[in-house]
Amino acid sequence: MASDGVRLEDVDAVRPPRVNPGPRRAFGPGARPLLIAALSTAVVFAVLAAIVVNAPGWPRFQQAFLNGPIFWDALPKVAGKFLVNVRLFLVAEVLILVLGLVLAVLRSLPGPVFFPVRLLATLYVDLFRALPGVLVIFMLGMGIPALRIEGVPKDEFFWAVVVLTLIYSAYVSEVYRAGIESVHPSQEAAARSLGLSRWQGLRYVVLPQAVRRVIPPLLNDFIGLQKDTVLVSFIGVVEVFRQTQIVQAARFNFTPYLATALVFLVVTIPMARFTDWLLKREKDQRVASGGSRSSASMSRVNQTLP
Amino acid sequence: MSGAVSGAVTSAVTSAPALSIEGIWKSFGQLDVLRGIDLEVAPHEVIALIGASGSGKSTLLRCINLIEPIDAGRILIAGDEITAQGVNVDRIRRRVGIVFQSFNLFPHMRVIDNITLAPRKVLGRSAAEAEAAAMTLLERFGLAEKAREYPDRLSGGQQQRVAIVRALAMEPDLLLLDEVTSALDPELVAEVLNVIRELAAGGMTMLIATHEMGFARDIASRVCFLDSGRILEQGSPRQIFAEPREARTRQFLNRIIEAGRL
C-alpha cells in the first residue's frame, strides 16, 4: 500500500498539468481509480474467502475436493484424456464449418424452385437447435449403431464427431446466415451487374465479406463446442470427463474434477479473451469507417457545377 | 437459344440502334414508377436523363441492366431483345455496364481485384491478361498508383472512378451512369465528370441520370426530361435548357436555377 502511494505521487509529478482535472479524473486512466479498484477487489475476495473457510463443512470439503496428492495423481491422467477431446473438437470443428456454411447457403437460395431445399435446411436447423444435445447424443450414438446396418461404423469416436457436427452445424449455419444477410444487397447488385452469376456473386463477393464479419461469433460457438465435447462421454467415449469419473470412483474423492476444470480453463479462457479482443477490434473498425461514410452522404445536399 | 441466334443475325446489321426501349412499365406494388417509356439510342450517343427525384431515372437504368424486371414492354440492345423469356441475363449484363451512386466497390478486394474479378470469372480471361487491361484503364484515368489499395483508402472521387473502370473492364456496348456524382463531396465531382467527358469523346454510348445540369448541357447529345415515369420531353441540350416546350420542364428547370445549380 505504502509503495503505491509513493508511485502515485511520482506519476503525478511527471504528468503535465491538466486544464480541467476535476470531472475528467474519474474516467481517465489516473492512478486513484486503479487504487480504489484494487482495494475493493481485495476486500470482496477476502470476504468471500472468509465465508468459505469458516463454513461448517470446510474441513470435509477440503478433504473431498482439495486433496493435494490425489490432485497430482489425477492431473496427468485427465490431461492425457483431454487430448481425445481436443482431437474430437478439431475434427468436428472442420466439419461444422463446412456443413454450417452449406446449410446457410442452401437457406439463402432465392426463388420458388428452391423452396423444398430451403424447407429441409430450415427443418434441420430448427430440429437440432430445439433438442437438448444429450438427447441427440443418446439417440443417434446408441440408436444408429444398434441398427447394425452393413458398413455403418460402430466406433464411438466416429459417432461422437457425427453428433457434435449435427448439433453445432445448426447453430453455426445461423451465424453464417446472419453474416450473409448483413452484406448490403447493393454488393450483390454490383456483382450481378458485372455479369457474375448468382453463385459467383455469392462465392466471390458476398461470402468473403460475410465470413469475415462472423469470425468472432463463430469463435464464441467453438468455446461452447470445446466444453460440449464432454457430452459424448455418455455414449462410451473415454475422454476427459469419463476419465475423471473413473479416477474419482477409484479414489472416492472429487478432487479429479478440480484437475479437469483447470485443464478446461487453461484452454478455454485464452480463446474467450481472444474472441473478446477480435470483437472489440471489429467494433472499433466499424466506428471508424462509419464516421467517414456519413460525411460523404452529407455532401449530397450541396452540389456545385464544374 | 433462338434469341442468341436471331441476335447474331440482327447485330450484323449496322443500322440497329445501340438501345431500343419500347413501352416499358414498371411498378413497385401500387406505385407505377415507369409508365410507358419509349427511347431509342444510336451508337455513340450520350443521353442525359434529368428530372426530379422519384421521376424514374434510376429505375429506368436498373431495368435496362435487368437488375429490376420490367412488367411490360421490350428492351433491345443492338437489336437483340434482352427482355425475352429464357434470355441468359448474365450474358446481357456483360454488354451493359452500370455505375451506381454509392460506388458499390467490393471492400474486401484491392482496386485491381475489383476490376479484374468479372473479366476473369465471366469472360474467362487469364489473371495476367485481365490485370494488364485493368492497369491500362487505371493509367488512363490517373489511378495506376492506387491499384494495390483497398477501396476504403481512396477518396469518394477515386472510388467512383474505380467503379467506372470496373464497368469499362467488361468492355460494355453501353454504359449506364446512375447519379454517379450525387454521393461525392463537391470538390470531388469534377474528377469524375472529366472521366465521363473522356468516355463520351471516345465514343462510348451512355445513358446518364444526373442532377448536374451544366454537365448534362455540355456533354449530352440528347436530354430527356422524365416526369412521373414518362419521358415528357426530349431534345438537344440547347432546346431543353433554353426553350423547353412543356410547362413541367420549365417548372423543373426554374427550381434548379433558383437553387443556383444552373
Side-chain angles (χ1 to χ4, degrees):
Chain A
M1 281 304 147
S3 72
D4 267 6
V6 172
R7 238 193 296 136
L8 172 71
E9 278 169 24
D10 288 346
V11 168
D12 268 356
V14 233
R15 215 172 261 158
R18 286 184 183 149
V19 185
N20 181 13
R24 282 190 66 95
R25 194 154 193 171
F27 303 100
R32 204 180 143 82
L34 206 71
L35 191 70
I36 294 171
L39 261 174
S40 77
T41 309
V43 168
V44 167
F45 275 89
V47 168
L48 284 175
I51 290 171
V52 169
V53 173
N54 291 317
W58 172 243
R60 282 204 56 167
F61 177 89
Q62 244 182 325
Q63 182 57 38
F65 284 92
L66 303 174
N67 189 312
I70 292 181
F71 177 84
W72 292 113
D73 176 46
L75 189 61
K77 286 180 185 157
V78 296
K81 282 298 175 193
F82 186 69
L83 291 178
V84 177
N85 295 63
V86 171
R87 203 151 57 91
L88 198 58
F89 165 75
L90 289 177
V91 176
E93 176 169 329
V94 172
L95 296 173
I96 289 162
L97 281 172
V98 174
L99 184 59
L101 185 58
V102 169
L103 283 168
V105 168
L106 290 181
R107 281 192 77 178
S108 48
L109 286 176
V113 184
F114 292 111
F115 180 76
V117 177
R118 284 198 300 271
L119 182 73
L120 283 174
T122 308
L123 281 177
Y124 175 97
V125 171
D126 279 357
L127 182 70
F128 284 106
R129 285 196 307 165
L131 289 172
V134 185
L135 275 182
V136 179
I137 282 169
F138 265 125
M139 290 195 292
L140 288 183
M142 305 282 204
I144 295 179
L147 290 173
R148 293 196 214 160
I149 299 167
E150 199 68 33
V152 170
K154 288 199 242 347
D155 177 40
E156 291 99 355
F157 187 85
F158 172 84
W159 285 105
V161 169
V162 167
V163 166
L164 287 176
T165 305
L166 286 175
I167 296 171
Y168 268 86
S169 60
Y171 284 97
V172 164
S173 84
E174 285 297 280
V175 173
Y176 276 128
R177 205 161 66 95
I180 290 171
E181 277 167 15
S182 79
V183 177
H184 198 272
S186 64
Q187 285 287 309
E188 207 208 335
R192 300 302 306 278
S193 78
L194 288 165
L196 293 165
S197 66
R198 197 180 289 283
W199 164 247
Q200 285 174 322
L202 193 66
R203 161 76 182 77
Y204 297 110
V205 174
V206 176
L207 283 183
Q209 296 183 59
V211 169
R212 218 158 295 192
R213 281 179 208 182
V214 298
I215 286 172
L218 281 181
L219 285 174
N220 219 6
D221 273 347
F222 286 131
I223 294 171
L225 175 64
Q226 280 179 356
K227 294 184 295 173
D228 279 355
T229 52
V230 303
L231 288 177
V232 303
S233 62
F234 287 114
I235 55 170
V237 178
V238 183
E239 42 65 74
V240 67
F241 184 66
R242 193 82 197 91
Q243 181 65 36
T244 312
Q245 287 180 315
I246 291 167
V247 179
Q248 178 254 318
R251 306 291 294 262
F252 285 111
N253 192 289
F254 292 105
T255 306
Y257 287 122
L258 188 73
T260 305
L262 276 179
V263 170
F264 269 98
L265 289 181
V266 164
V267 175
T268 310
I269 286 185
M271 186 134 157
R273 289 288 107 220
F274 178 63
T275 306
D276 284 356
W277 176 79
L278 271 184
L279 277 169
K280 187 180 175 301
R281 199 185 62 161
E282 193 209 31
K283 193 178 146 202
D284 291 349
Q285 282 171 350
R286 248 205 324 269
V287 169
S289 68
S292 67
R293 215 168 280 147
S294 67
S295 76
S297 58
M298 278 297 290
S299 67
R300 245 204 110 155
V301 184
N302 48 355
Q303 295 152 28
T304 44
L305 293 169
Chain B
M1 200 63 187
S2 64
V5 173
S6 69
V9 176
T10 44
S11 55
V13 182
T14 48
S15 63
L19 171 73
S20 307
I21 294 170
E22 298 172 3
I24 64 171
W25 284 72
K26 171 72 189 173
S27 51
F28 294 108
Q30 294 292 311
L31 183 70
D32 291 327
V33 184
L34 300 180
R35 302 186 302 147
I37 299 253
D38 293 292
L39 183 66
E40 205 149 275
V41 182
H44 313 304
E45 234 190 328
V46 176
I47 308 283
L49 303 172
I50 63 167
S53 295
S55 58
K57 304 185 298 289
S58 290
T59 307
L60 176 59
L61 295 183
R62 293 171 74 87
C63 285
I64 298 170
N65 195 253
L66 303 178
I67 296 174
E68 301 288 353
I70 56 172
D71 299 326
R74 301 202 311 158
I75 301 174
L76 292 88
I77 289 179
D80 305 341
E81 188 182 347
I82 63 169
T83 43
Q85 284 286 322
V87 165
N88 183 336
V89 190
D90 298 331
R91 277 179 179 281
I92 305 301
R93 292 208 181 94
R94 293 174 204 178
R95 301 169 57 185
V96 184
I98 186 165
V99 181
F100 304 94
Q101 177 181 329
S102 52
F103 328 142
N104 299 354
L105 294 178
F106 307 134
H108 60 298
M109 290 182 186
R110 293 172 198 279
V111 163
I112 189 82
D113 300 318
N114 261 278
I115 298 166
T116 57
L117 178 70
R120 284 188 290 124
K121 302 301 172 190
V122 178
L123 303 179
R125 303 253 164 91
S126 73
E129 198 182 354
E131 281 195 20
M135 285 312 295
T136 309
L137 282 169
L138 285 171
E139 267 158 34
R140 184 170 149 203
F141 298 113
L143 290 161
E145 76 279 12
K146 302 292 178 192
R148 302 280 155 201
E149 298 275 16
Y150 283 93
D152 63 356
R153 307 287 302 163
L154 271 54
S155 74
Q158 288 166 339
Q159 288 191 47
Q160 192 59 293
R161 280 147 65 203
V162 170
I164 294 174
V165 167
R166 184 173 70 176
L168 289 176
M170 290 297 285
E171 294 164 12
D173 301 335
L174 179 67
L175 190 60
L176 311 173
L177 303 173
D178 186 7
E179 295 189 27
V180 290
T181 56
S182 296
L184 295 178
D185 288 327
E187 71 270 23
L188 302 176
V189 168
E191 60 184 85
V192 172
L193 295 187
N194 286 336
V195 168
I196 302 169
R197 275 202 188 88
E198 203 198 311
L199 291 176
M204 175 65 74
T205 315
M206 287 188 282
L207 258 75
I208 307 173
T210 186
H211 288 296
E212 306 280 349
M213 296 304 152
F215 174 69
R217 188 174 53 192
D218 291 349
I219 195 178
S221 40
R222 194 163 19 130
V223 176
C224 298
F225 174 68
L226 269 76
D227 183 58
S228 28
R230 287 205 175 99
I231 298 180
L232 193 65
E233 183 170 1
Q234 55 177 307
S236 69
R238 174 191 294 276
Q239 185 255 307
I240 294 287
F241 288 111
E243 359 177 294
R245 278 187 292 270
E246 298 288 335
R248 294 278 304 141
T249 318
R250 272 197 297 279
Q251 205 181 356
F252 172 74
L253 290 172
N254 280 337
R255 275 208 302 267
I256 300 274
I257 290 164
E258 277 168 30
R261 300 260 303 275
L262 183 67

